[in-house]
């Protein structure tokens, strides 16, 4: 199969492929969670899953209703010769590779902005209120997050001239990676270290879900692990500590975090200050202060 027919196959089958990869990974890694969980404590599925499933459904509907797609915009940019990688001097294969790498950098940048800008944090913090983490956390996002990040993604995709094929391949890869990085699975240390040279692993992303703010504000990468290392936001802690991390937000840990209705209104709510302030032992639940 040459590149053109591969691309046309991806285009015609893109949505079914995306769903098959996402739900396939959800089922496969969900089974793996049952067999080899990193955190073997009570993961409170019955309480957490309805809200996570509700947000996943809501986001599928919102994404489906978006009037523009990044692929369509990239097609337009390619046809008009707009953007860096659409310049004739860039060889197609180099444009494809650079396009995928840059697409992952855009994700990293948007995620950092979600944490650093107070207005965006109000939207993104829904994802961090889950006090446990497993495959169901993957699409626990407020629909506003897609509405806010889409225009940024479209603008950057045009400016960089990311080839449509790079976007098609990246989105499918990202669908699998999103489920993988949220999975509560135990991976042998050597395999985690090897994978982490290139990819974000579940142990690496779990630190991002820690309730201790300096850890919440680290490991922003969604697919490639390079950006955190390059921009100094990378954090690693010993494996036994990762498994025992206190996840979620220190500010809110009660039943509200499992109410779909409460989560949808969260951008408009005030959460107050976190108890324990900057105390890592209290917030992260490690060391003497470990508590769930
Ligand atoms: Zn985050």
């Amino acid at each position: 199969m040459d590149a053109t027919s591969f691309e046309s196959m991806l285009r015609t089958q893109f949505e079914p492929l995306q769903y098959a990869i996402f739900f396939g990974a959800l089922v496969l890694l969900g089974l793996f969670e049952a067999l080899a969980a990193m955190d073997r404590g009570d993961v409170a599925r019955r309480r957490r899953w309805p809200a996570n499933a509700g947000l996943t459904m809501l986001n599928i509907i919102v994404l489906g209703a978006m009037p523009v797609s990044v692929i369509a915009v990239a097609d337009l940019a390619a046809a008009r010769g707009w953007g860096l990688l659409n310049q004739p001097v860039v060889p197609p294969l180099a444009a494809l590779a650079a396009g995928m790498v840059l697409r992952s950098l855009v994700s990293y940048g948007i995620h950092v902005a979600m944490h650093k800008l107070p207005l965006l944090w109000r939207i993104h913090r829904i994802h961090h209120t889950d006090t446990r983490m497993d495959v169901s956390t993957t699409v626990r996002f407020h629909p506003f997050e897609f509405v806010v990040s889409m225009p940024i993604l479209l603008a950057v995709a045009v400016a960089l001239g990311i080839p449509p094929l790079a976007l098609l391949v990246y989105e499918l890869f990202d669908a699998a990676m999103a489920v993988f990085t949220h999975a509560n699975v135990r991976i042998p240390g050597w395999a985690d270290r090897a994978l982490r040279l290139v990819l974000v692993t579940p142990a690496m992303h779990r630190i991002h879900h820690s309730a201790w703010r300096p850890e919440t504000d680290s490991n922003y990468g969604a697919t490639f692990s390079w950006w955190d290392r390059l921009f100094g936001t990378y954090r690693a802690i010993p494996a036994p500590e990762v498994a025992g991390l206190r996840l979620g937000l220190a500010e809110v840990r009660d039943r509200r975090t499992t109410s779909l209705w409460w989560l949808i209104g969260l951008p408009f709510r005030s959460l107050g200050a976190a108890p324990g302030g900057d105390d890592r032992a209290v917030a992260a639940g490690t060391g003497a202060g470990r508590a769930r």
Side-chain angles (χ1 to χ4, degrees):
M1 189 187 282
D2 61 38
T4 322
S5 52
F6 177 65
E7 182 168 347
S8 65
M9 184 275 287
L10 280 186
R11 280 175 186 275
T12 50
Q13 303 298 326
F14 186 63
E15 275 206 3
L17 268 172
Q18 208 175 13
Y19 285 121
I21 289 173
F22 172 72
F23 286 107
L26 208 66
V27 170
L28 257 173
L29 287 159
L31 285 172
F32 194 29
E33 281 180 346
L35 298 171
M38 175 159 30
D39 174 3
R40 276 184 270 197
D42 163 37
V43 290
R45 294 190 185 92
R46 252 191 307 173
R47 268 199 292 131
R48 295 171 41 251
W49 279 17
N52 289 357
L55 285 170
T56 304
M57 302 292 245
L58 190 62
N59 284 317
I60 287 174
I61 295 168
V62 169
L63 280 170
M66 290 266 192
V68 280
S69 83
V70 66
I71 310 291
V73 170
D75 278 334
L76 179 71
R80 302 277 169 92
W82 294 340
L84 199 69
L85 299 175
N86 281 325
Q87 300 317 304
V89 288
V90 187
L93 217 60
L96 183 66
M100 283 191 63
V101 170
L102 289 172
R103 171 65 185 85
S104 93
L105 176 60
V106 177
S107 275
Y108 172 88
I110 292 176
H111 193 181
V112 172
M114 289 283 166
H115 279 243
K116 299 296 175 194
L117 304 176
L119 214 61
L120 296 185
W121 172 245
R122 277 181 169 263
I123 297 169
H124 179 65
R125 62 187 178 180
I126 281 89
H127 185 62
H128 285 270
T129 52
D130 205 348
T131 53
R132 300 286 168 160
M133 193 171 141
D134 57 29
V135 289
S136 79
T137 314
T138 308
V139 195
R140 182 193 169 98
F141 285 106
H142 197 286
F144 284 180
E145 183 150 343
F146 295 102
V147 176
V148 168
S149 54
M150 187 63 95
I152 306 171
L153 179 60
L154 295 179
V156 181
V158 171
L160 296 173
I162 302 179
L165 180 59
L167 292 170
L168 289 163
V169 174
Y170 185 87
E171 298 316 321
L172 297 179
F173 164 60
D174 183 64
M177 283 300 293
V179 183
F180 175 63
T181 53
H182 289 94
N184 174 23
V185 290
R186 191 159 30 88
I187 291 174
W190 61 267
D192 185 274
R193 280 190 297 278
L195 281 171
R196 206 182 279 209
L197 294 174
V198 178
L199 300 175
V200 176
T201 66
M204 179 178 163
H205 192 65
R206 194 176 175 88
I207 297 170
H208 180 72
H209 280 262
S210 158
W212 188 43
R213 195 64 203 229
E215 285 173 344
T216 321
D217 294 338
S218 74
N219 296 0
Y220 294 103
T223 48
F224 299 121
S225 60
W226 313 317
W227 309 117
D228 284 296
R229 297 177 200 272
L230 190 66
F231 297 111
T233 52
Y234 178 73
R235 249 177 199 272
I237 56 177
E241 263 186 56
V242 176
L245 274 177
R246 191 171 184 241
L247 306 181
L249 290 182
E251 295 94 319
V252 53
R253 317 195 47 78
D254 52 42
R255 292 231 166 191
R256 289 174 294 172
T257 62
T258 59
S259 155
L260 181 60
W261 183 244
W262 188 83
L263 291 169
I264 289 172
L266 190 53
F268 310 103
R269 301 182 204 280
S270 173
L271 285 182
D278 263 0
D279 186 341
R280 180 172 196 265
V282 175
T286 50
R290 179 170 298 188
R292 288 190 180 275

